[in-house]
Amino acid sequence: MSRYSARGRLRDHGLGLVGIAGFLVLWELLPRLHVVSEAYLSPPSQVLQAIEQLFSQGQLFKHIWASLQRSLWGLLLAIGLGVLLGLLMGRLPRLARVLGPILQLFRQTSALALFPVFILFFGIGESSKVAIIFWASFWPVLLNTISGVTQVDPLLINSARSMGASSAFVFRKVVLPAAAPSIFTGVRLAGTYCITALVAAEMIGAHSGLGFLTLNSQEVFQIPSMYAGILLLALLGLLLNFVLSLIERWSLRWRQSLAS
C-alpha cells in the first residue's frame, strides 16, 4: 500500500510540475507573440533579469529582509496574543460572552479601514506596519483557537477528572493536545493573511520591502521589477507556509504515532 501511495504522490508532483511549466511557457509566449503588450505583462525571462539586477545592485536581500522582519513580528505577536486569548475564551464561557460582541465588531473592521488609526497611534514607522500585519493575522488564530478548545470532547475531560486529574493537568494533557490541530490551522491561515497585509502595510512610508518594491515599480512603470516583487512575495508566502507546516508536523508528530 505504501509503495502505491508513494507512486501516487510522485505522479501528483509530476503533474504539478507540468502545470507550472505550462503556465510559465504560456506566460512567456503571450507577450512575446504580442497577444498581450509587454508594457502590461513582462515575460518571465525579463522578470528573472530584473531579480538578477536587484541582486547585483545589493537591493534584493534588503527588500526581502525588510518584508520578512515585518511579517514575522506581526505574525508572532498575532500568534502569541491570539492563542492566549483564544484559550482563555474557550475555557471561560463568561469571558467569551463579555468579549465576544466587541471582538466580532473588531473582526469585521478591515486593516485597510484602520490605516488612519494606526498612523495616528504609531506614526509611519515600523510600528504601524507591524500593527497592520498583526491585525490581519490575529483573527484566524483567535477564532480557530476558540473553536478548537470549545470542541474538545467532554468525555475526554470528564474521564480525566474522574481519575483525579487536576484542572491544570486536564488543560495541559487533554485540552491543549485536542485543540492543537485547530490552533495550527489558524496559524497557517494567519501566515497567508500576514503576507497579504504586507503589501498594504508597506504603503505607509516604506522605503524598502517587497510590497514597496512592487508598488514603487508600478508607479515608475518598471513593469519587470513590479512582477519581480509580486513573484518574490508569492515565494515568501510559500516559504512561510512550508516552515509553518514543518512546525505543525513536528509538534503533532504524536498523532502520526497514534494513527500507525
Side-chain angles (χ1 to χ4, degrees):
M1 180 65 71
S2 61
R3 182 177 63 186
Y4 291 119
S5 62
R7 287 180 180 177
R9 287 196 296 269
L10 287 175
R11 184 173 63 250
D12 291 341
H13 288 317
L15 291 173
L17 291 175
V18 169
I20 292 173
F23 171 75
L24 292 175
V25 170
L26 182 63
W27 182 4
E28 182 75 28
L29 289 178
L30 285 176
R32 295 295 186 189
L33 298 177
H34 305 293
V35 177
V36 180
S37 173
E38 289 189 15
Y40 304 121
L41 181 66
S42 300
S45 56
Q46 291 185 7
V47 175
L48 291 177
Q49 289 176 2
I51 294 175
E52 183 181 359
Q53 185 177 11
L54 287 168
F55 177 77
S56 62
Q57 294 173 349
Q59 297 293 312
L60 180 62
F61 291 112
K62 171 189 172 183
H63 291 304
I64 293 175
W65 179 241
S67 292
L68 190 59
Q69 279 186 305
R70 292 162 184 153
S71 300
L72 289 179
W73 274 115
L75 180 61
L76 290 174
L77 288 172
I79 292 173
L81 186 57
V83 170
L84 177 61
L85 186 58
L87 291 173
L88 290 173
M89 292 180 66
R91 293 296 292 165
L92 302 173
R94 289 183 179 178
L95 179 64
R97 286 193 290 270
V98 171
L99 296 181
I102 189 66
L103 289 177
Q104 286 294 332
L105 175 63
F106 284 155
R107 187 170 72 92
Q108 304 303 322
T109 307
S110 167
L112 298 177
L114 292 174
F115 264 22
V117 177
F118 290 135
I119 292 175
L120 283 174
F121 276 87
F122 303 110
I124 60 173
E126 292 300 308
S127 298
S128 58
K129 299 172 182 57
V130 172
I132 291 170
I133 296 170
F134 162 80
W135 187 268
S137 308
F138 171 73
W139 302 106
V141 178
L142 174 67
L143 297 176
N144 278 274
T145 301
I146 295 173
S147 175
V149 174
T150 55
Q151 291 180 10
V152 176
D153 190 348
L155 181 61
L156 297 175
I157 299 175
N158 294 332
S159 298
R161 286 176 176 169
S162 67
M163 291 184 288
S166 65
S167 297
F169 182 90
V170 170
F171 179 76
R172 189 175 69 254
K173 295 296 185 178
V174 177
V175 175
L176 272 181
S182 181
I183 294 173
F184 274 107
T185 298
V187 169
R188 292 181 64 181
L189 284 172
T192 301
Y193 291 167
C194 85
I195 297 298
T196 304
L198 177 64
V199 180
E202 291 180 343
M203 292 173 61
I204 304 177
H207 299 287
S208 62
L210 297 176
F212 165 79
L213 172 65
T214 302
L215 296 168
N216 185 67
S217 298
Q218 183 267 335
E219 290 175 357
V220 299
F221 216 69
Q222 294 179 353
I223 305 304
S225 295
M226 181 190 76
Y227 282 104
I230 295 172
L231 177 61
L232 291 169
L233 279 168
L235 293 176
L236 181 63
L238 286 174
L239 176 62
L240 183 58
N241 183 69
F242 176 73
V243 171
L244 292 175
S245 298
L246 288 180
I247 295 173
E248 178 182 10
R249 196 177 309 162
W250 179 82
S251 302
L252 302 181
R253 62 191 183 279
W254 55 269
R255 298 182 71 202
Q256 298 176 357
S257 62
L258 287 177
S260 60

